[in-house]
């Protein structure tokens, strides 16, 4: 792999909304990427010679409006890397302080340590901005400083993933605007890059912001007024713990959310299968979800349980998704019949999720008003659903009926 040449880097300065860098106006982002540039620079080769340029394709989404903008950046010769160019440009845009923003980056190279630190500081200062980074290739993945940079991003809430076929296709169709044609070795190279990234990140998990957890995992029927009376909870968050019984090492953690065309449960299944778990070994996975799975996700989770007969899969959900529709009820029934435990989050599960997956600055979980009452009502509803399909009722939180 040919490294990018070292060059002077400008700092982002005070991280406040609307601040600008003196040279930010000189960076003119593109709207699309040429076909040749994409196939050359985003090729996920393990040894990518001659690729000195980093391309970053950015999609900006706003909570109530969906897609807000999309641009393509590349590192500036003798100046800033693509990540900083994107952040300077983003700060120039019109902000709506009460809104949440989702940035999705498709990058040809993973960030260097300096850019990782700058992006992490930006996320720490702008609590209403969430970032997902899909990378085609890992940049200097064997150097400890670069590994620490990736872990630092995750610690500030960024979700860092390797681009699979679906991400390559999404990026190509959105920024090149043509049907994607995969190259030979795409999947095997993805598996290698994914394995290296998982080793780098280890037990590091993209932590949720406190306000995100308190809003998205809240089990009230109506959204609290202080969160915005017209702010729907459309996102699904899935936090998981993977451990082996009797193993004293720290469990593997992960936190996922639904993306364009991908439910969080499908991303979770894909990640678990990519780990190469031995079906003959014992594993325990505990999942915490904001919404119960849809029909398709429930069937695929059930298949995962059946493919790993010695897996103990526990799924705790905060709220039931379209629980009055029979096909969604059938999904819960099939998931239960597969051997997975499906239950409703109570105070203990909310506390465990808070302690493991929230950047809470050492503060303890403070339950909202009537949390136990809401959990009890939702648990009773789930019990009625399962009984109507001939399944045993769900036990109270923390108890296993099997």
């Amino acid at each position: 792999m040919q490294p990018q040449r070292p060059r002077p880097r400008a700092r982002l300065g005070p991280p406040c909304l609307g601040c600008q860098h003196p040279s930010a106006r000189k960076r003119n982002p593109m709207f699309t990427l040429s076909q040749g540039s994409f196939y050359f620079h985003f090729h996920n080769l393990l040894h990518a010679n001659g690729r000195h340029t980093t391309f970053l394709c950015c999609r900006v989404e706003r909570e109530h409006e969906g897609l807000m903008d999309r641009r393509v950046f590349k590192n500036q010769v003798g100046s800033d890397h693509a990540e900083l160019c994107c952040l300077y440009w983003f700060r120039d845009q019109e902000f709506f302080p009460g809104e949440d923003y989702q940035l999705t980056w498709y990058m040809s190279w993973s960030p260097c340590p300096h850019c990782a630190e700058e992006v992490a500081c930006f996320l720490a200062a702008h609590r209403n901005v969430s970032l997902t980074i899909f990378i085609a290739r890992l940049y200097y993945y064997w150097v400890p400083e670069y590994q620490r940079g990736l872990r630092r991003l995750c610690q500030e809430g960024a979700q860092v993933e390797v681009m699979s076929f679906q991400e390559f296709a999404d990026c190509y169709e959105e920024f090149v605007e043509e049907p994607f044609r995969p190259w030979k070795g795409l999947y095997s190279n993805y598996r290698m890059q994914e394995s290296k990234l998982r080793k780098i990140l280890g037990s590091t998990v993209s932590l949720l912001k406190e306000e995100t957890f308190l809003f998205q995992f809240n089990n009230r029927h109506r959204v609290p007024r202080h969160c915005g009376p017209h702010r729907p909870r459309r996102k699904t968050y899935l936090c998981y713990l993977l451990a082996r019984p009797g193993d004293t090492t720290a469990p593997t953690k992960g936190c996922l959310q639904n993306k364009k065309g991908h439910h969080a449960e499908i991303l979770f299944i894909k990640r678990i299968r990519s780990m190469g778990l031995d079906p003959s070994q014992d594993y325990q996975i505990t999942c915490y979800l904001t919404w119960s799975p849809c029909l398709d996700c429930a069937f695929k989770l059930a298949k995962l349980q059946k493919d790993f007969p010695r897996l103990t899969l526990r799924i705790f959900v905060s709220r039931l998704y379209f629980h009055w529709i029979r096909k969604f009820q059938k999904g819960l029934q099939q998931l239960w019949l597969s051997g997975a435990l499906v239950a409703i989050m109570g105070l203990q599960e909310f506390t465990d999720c808070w302690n493991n997956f929230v950047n809470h600055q050492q503060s303890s979980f403070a339950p909202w008003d009537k949390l136990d009452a809401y959990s009890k009502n939702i648990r009773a509803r789930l019990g009625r659903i399962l009984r109507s399909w001939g399944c045993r009722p769900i036990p109270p939180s923390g108890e296993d009926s099997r």
Side-chain angles (χ1 to χ4, degrees):
M1 178 181 70
Q2 294 293 326
Q4 301 178 30
R5 299 172 183 173
R7 48 194 177 276
R9 300 181 175 97
R11 294 189 64 81
L12 286 177
C16 58
L17 297 178
C19 59
Q20 298 179 1
H21 186 271
S23 58
R25 300 287 184 185
K26 299 178 182 179
R27 300 177 181 85
N28 297 315
M30 301 174 287
F31 289 95
T32 58
L33 189 64
S34 71
Q35 187 181 61
S37 293
F38 180 90
Y39 279 112
F40 181 75
H41 289 284
F42 278 85
H43 198 152
N44 62 346
L45 295 167
L46 301 181
H47 304 285
N49 297 321
R51 290 161 174 82
H52 304 292
T53 302
T54 296
F55 279 88
L56 187 158
C57 301
C58 174
R59 181 171 68 242
V60 183
E61 296 170 280
R62 188 153 58 93
E63 182 72 24
H64 296 314
E65 303 296 333
L67 179 64
M68 179 181 173
D69 209 337
R70 60 184 183 187
R71 299 297 173 95
V72 178
F73 302 85
K74 66 177 181 178
N75 54 303
Q76 304 290 311
V77 178
S79 184
D80 296 314
H81 286 191
E83 300 93 318
L84 302 190
C85 294
C86 181
L87 290 186
Y88 291 136
W89 167 82
F90 182 63
R91 285 180 177 172
D92 279 342
Q93 308 311 300
E94 182 180 3
F95 268 90
F96 296 83
E99 296 282 354
D100 287 337
Y101 291 85
Q102 171 67 49
L103 299 183
T104 303
W105 289 359
Y106 301 96
M107 299 184 62
S108 56
W109 288 109
S110 60
C112 70
H114 171 82
C115 290
E117 179 62 28
E118 291 281 13
V119 174
C121 290
F122 178 86
L123 292 174
H126 300 80
R127 307 301 291 179
N128 62 328
V129 178
S130 300
L131 175 63
T132 300
I133 304 176
F134 293 110
I135 55 178
R137 299 182 302 271
L138 289 166
Y139 184 52
Y140 278 121
Y141 61 86
W142 58 88
V143 179
E145 185 181 6
Y146 287 73
Q147 297 176 359
R148 286 193 294 271
L150 293 173
R151 289 193 287 266
R152 174 83 170 94
L153 283 170
C154 288
Q155 290 165 356
E156 283 301 336
Q159 188 172 326
V160 183
E161 303 285 348
V162 173
M163 292 178 71
S164 65
F165 169 82
Q166 190 60 57
E167 284 74 51
F168 281 115
D170 290 345
C171 180
Y172 190 84
E173 291 170 7
E174 184 167 355
F175 293 94
V176 183
E177 299 179 348
E178 292 184 23
F180 175 63
R181 299 191 304 276
W183 48 80
K184 184 178 180 181
L186 184 153
Y187 182 70
S188 59
N189 290 342
Y190 157 73
R191 291 292 300 270
M192 290 291 293
Q193 302 275 4
E194 171 72 10
S195 174
K196 295 180 187 302
L197 180 61
R198 296 274 71 84
K199 289 180 180 178
I200 291 171
L201 297 182
S203 60
T204 305
V205 60
S206 299
L207 298 177
L208 297 172
K209 300 170 185 176
E210 290 185 33
E211 55 269 30
T212 299
F213 177 85
L214 294 174
F215 177 71
Q216 296 291 350
F217 275 88
N218 198 304
N219 63 354
R220 301 183 189 186
H221 178 63
R222 295 186 182 276
V223 180
R225 184 168 295 278
H226 69 270
C227 295
H230 303 293
R231 188 180 173 195
R233 290 170 290 186
R234 295 195 182 101
K235 294 182 180 178
T236 297
Y237 285 83
L238 186 155
C239 303
Y240 69 89
L241 288 165
L242 168 64
R244 291 194 59 185
D247 193 343
T248 58
T249 59
T252 300
K253 300 180 183 180
C255 188
L256 304 164
Q257 70 180 82
N258 57 308
K259 302 296 178 187
K260 179 183 178 182
H262 308 284
H263 287 192
E265 298 91 331
I266 303 303
L267 296 175
F268 162 73
I269 293 170
K270 194 166 74 169
R271 178 174 293 187
I272 295 300
R273 291 191 181 279
S274 71
M275 293 179 181
L277 303 182
D278 185 351
S280 65
Q281 298 294 321
D282 293 328
Y283 298 96
Q284 178 174 297
I285 300 179
T286 303
C287 296
Y288 305 98
L289 284 109
T290 54
W291 290 104
S292 59
C294 69
L295 177 66
D296 182 58
C297 291
F299 271 82
K300 290 181 179 178
L301 285 168
K303 187 176 188 310
L304 177 71
Q305 175 68 81
K306 292 177 180 178
D307 290 344
F308 293 87
R310 301 187 65 173
L311 167 66
T312 300
L313 178 60
R314 303 189 303 164
I315 300 174
F316 294 99
V317 302
S318 174
R319 302 180 302 274
L320 295 175
Y321 183 63
F322 284 111
H323 58 85
W324 59 89
I325 299 179
R326 290 295 284 177
K327 73 173 184 178
F328 290 96
Q329 296 179 4
K330 182 175 178 59
L332 293 173
Q333 177 225 23
Q334 291 299 311
L335 188 53
W336 180 263
L337 291 177
S338 72
L341 169 67
V342 184
I344 302 301
M345 292 178 70
L347 178 59
Q348 184 61 56
E349 288 73 42
F350 283 114
T351 302
D352 291 344
C353 190
W354 173 274
N355 292 334
N356 283 288
F357 300 102
V358 177
N359 186 10
H360 49 68
Q361 307 300 321
Q362 305 304 315
S363 62
S364 58
F365 175 62
W368 47 84
D369 186 37
K370 298 183 179 180
L371 181 151
D372 286 329
Y374 289 118
S375 291
K376 183 178 180 180
N377 290 338
I378 300 172
R379 190 177 300 119
R381 186 179 300 124
L382 178 59
R384 290 194 296 271
I385 290 172
L386 291 176
R387 281 195 297 270
S388 72
W389 287 88
C391 301
R392 287 181 296 172
I394 297 294
S397 178
E399 300 180 15
D400 194 337
S401 64
R402 288 173 291 175

